Amino acid sequence: MDPAVSTGPAGDRTPVVGYVGADVPVELLTAAGVHAVRLTGDPDSGSALGDRYLGRGVDPMARSVLTRLLAGSFGDLDRIVVSHDCEASLRLFYALRELRRVEPGTRLPEAYLVDILHLPHRTTARYNRRRIGEFAARLEAWTGRPLDLAGAVAAHDERRRLLTAVAELRRAVPARLTGRQFLAVANAALPVTEHIALLERLLAEAGRLGEHPGRRVFLSGSDHDTPHVYEAVESEGYVIVGEDHSFGDLFLGEPVGAGGLDALAEHYHHSGPTAHRATVGERAAHAARAVRDCRAELFVGYSRIGDEAPAWDFPAQRAALDVPAVLLERQEYGRADLAALRKEHPCAV
């Protein structure tokens, strides 16, 4: 057995585990007593190191995360957990594993892959249950203590409930939160108990929130791990009232409930639908429902360079909608060329 695994990653202090991807079962990280931090890129700092090891054909968000890891931007991480939610995440995992093996001077922590699949088959469900069980066992080996799974699931379900209530503030007419504000609230880098307390305070003060009467936009497509694109769109007088990526509304999901590892495996098996693991028809049906639910007036598809999958869904999504739709395709990471939006669907600030 690896001695680092048997003795735990960080002595007596609270271990810090960075994770990448929408399929990492964060409930298990909480159950293990570690501080889980979702790793994000930075469109403003460049990605030269990440480009060197991943190549420029990979989604620039993953290249930026690797660059920041190699630069030590996340501080001292004890482990990194990556999910196979998309090809870019998988490529990032392979790069981290090989860099640790062949270039130990990079001082990267051990990386672990959680490989959750999303095919609608019983064999896929059994495969996912095995992967979830292996990850739980690995966490117990890392930390040297049993997992408090029931407590962690209850805490994360409570956070989902509160975030769903916060999302309703954005869906109000007029909106009481902007898309940028919701993104910041949903992704606050806090332990789950502290995040719950923050959400409770926000909801308690909801009556004092201002109104945001801009043209209501549903944003579809690539993940947004930073506020850059939201700020660009909303600076034009729009307000983003819903989205279908894993840092936004898809981060909420259904509660896990009781059932231990079986329920957790089922939860992540059926999460989504993201552009990388759902059919075109599923994405179109979800878009139609979500646009109605948040009472959007305009549908904006967004596809980054290196992340072309969302653009493939757009024709079917547009056909399923009863509101106008525009596609912003091949966008730079963290940037939004709004020329098509301004031309076809102008909105005064």
Side-chain angles (χ1 to χ4, degrees), residues 35-57:
H35 178 38
V37 179
R38 190 169 187 180
L39 305 183
T40 58
D42 180 4
D44 296 328
S45 64
S47 60
L49 282 174
D51 297 350
R52 175 183 176 187
Y53 294 109
L54 287 174
R56 294 187 61 83

Side-chain angles (χ1 to χ4, degrees), residues 2-346:
D2 181 347
V5 170
S6 63
T7 59
D12 293 332
R13 72 175 180 85
T14 300
V16 181
V17 174
Y19 71 97
V20 176
D23 286 342
V24 173
V26 290
E27 294 85 354
L28 289 179
L29 295 173
T30 299
V34 306
H35 178 38
V37 179
R38 190 169 187 180
L39 305 183
T40 58
D42 180 4
D44 296 328
S45 64
S47 60
L49 282 174
D51 297 350
R52 175 183 176 187
Y53 294 109
L54 287 174
R56 294 187 61 83
V58 175
D59 186 341
M61 189 169 82
R63 286 153 38 202
S64 181
V65 169
L66 180 56
T67 298
R68 299 189 73 201
L69 280 166
L70 292 169
S73 301
F74 300 107
D76 293 328
L77 299 176
D78 297 291
R79 297 290 193 278
I80 301 172
V81 179
V82 182
S83 73
H84 185 186
D85 61 328
C86 64
E87 183 66 19
S89 294
L90 187 62
R91 292 277 295 274
L92 174 62
F93 167 74
Y94 289 145
L96 290 170
R97 186 179 64 179
E98 286 304 290
L99 280 167
R100 179 177 167 85
R101 183 178 69 86
V102 303
E103 295 190 26
T106 58
R107 300 179 64 184
L108 288 167
E110 176 186 345
Y112 183 88
L113 178 69
V114 180
D115 188 22
I116 301 296
L117 305 179
H118 297 275
L119 296 173
H121 307 311
R122 283 181 295 174
T123 52
T124 301
R126 290 197 295 268
Y127 177 89
N128 290 341
R129 175 60 179 82
R130 183 179 292 273
R131 301 289 83 78
I132 290 283
E134 290 171 348
F135 184 42
R138 179 61 65 93
L139 284 168
E140 288 184 334
W142 282 351
T143 61
R145 56 178 177 265
L147 304 181
D148 176 17
L149 182 57
V153 166
H156 281 270
D157 279 353
E158 176 63 5
R159 179 169 70 171
R160 289 186 182 95
R161 185 187 71 81
L162 293 170
L163 276 171
T164 299
V166 170
E168 289 302 319
L169 298 175
R170 184 173 59 153
R171 294 172 185 161
V173 181
R176 306 301 297 273
L177 287 176
T178 66
R180 166 68 178 88
Q181 291 169 336
F182 178 76
L183 201 67
V185 169
N187 295 281
L190 297 171
V192 64
T193 53
E194 295 180 26
H195 200 182
I196 287 172
L198 172 69
L199 296 171
E200 288 174 338
R201 289 196 301 272
L202 174 61
L203 289 168
E205 299 170 0
R208 297 200 293 271
L209 296 175
E211 296 182 347
H212 304 279
R215 189 172 186 185
R216 301 168 66 86
V217 166
F218 184 90
L219 182 64
S220 178
S222 297
D223 264 346
H224 297 279
D225 62 342
T226 75
H228 292 68
V229 171
Y230 278 61
E231 291 171 347
V233 172
E234 293 188 326
S235 70
E236 299 278 324
Y238 306 90
V239 58
I240 297 172
V241 295
E243 65 279 294
D244 61 9
H245 64 80
S246 70
F247 287 86
D249 279 340
L250 290 189
F251 176 62
L252 309 183
E254 296 295 322
V256 175
L261 293 178
D262 291 338
L264 196 63
E266 183 176 1
H267 174 83
Y268 282 93
H269 182 185
H270 296 293
S271 64
T274 67
H276 306 94
R277 58 181 191 251
T279 67
V280 171
E282 289 169 340
R283 293 272 292 161
H286 177 82
R289 289 193 302 271
V291 164
R292 287 194 299 269
D293 289 346
C294 66
R295 288 167 283 192
E297 301 167 296
L298 177 64
F299 181 92
V300 176
Y302 180 97
S303 177
R304 258 194 316 271
I305 294 173
D307 183 33
E308 288 81 12
W312 304 340
D313 299 327
F314 181 75
Q317 289 174 321
R318 179 172 54 191
L321 299 171
D322 56 7
V323 299
V326 63
L327 175 63
L328 309 180
E329 191 174 6
R330 297 189 60 76
Q331 301 291 300
E332 297 285 345
Y333 175 44
R335 305 290 181 259
D337 180 356
L338 301 178
L341 189 60
R342 295 188 188 106
K343 179 181 178 181
E344 298 178 31
H345 308 284

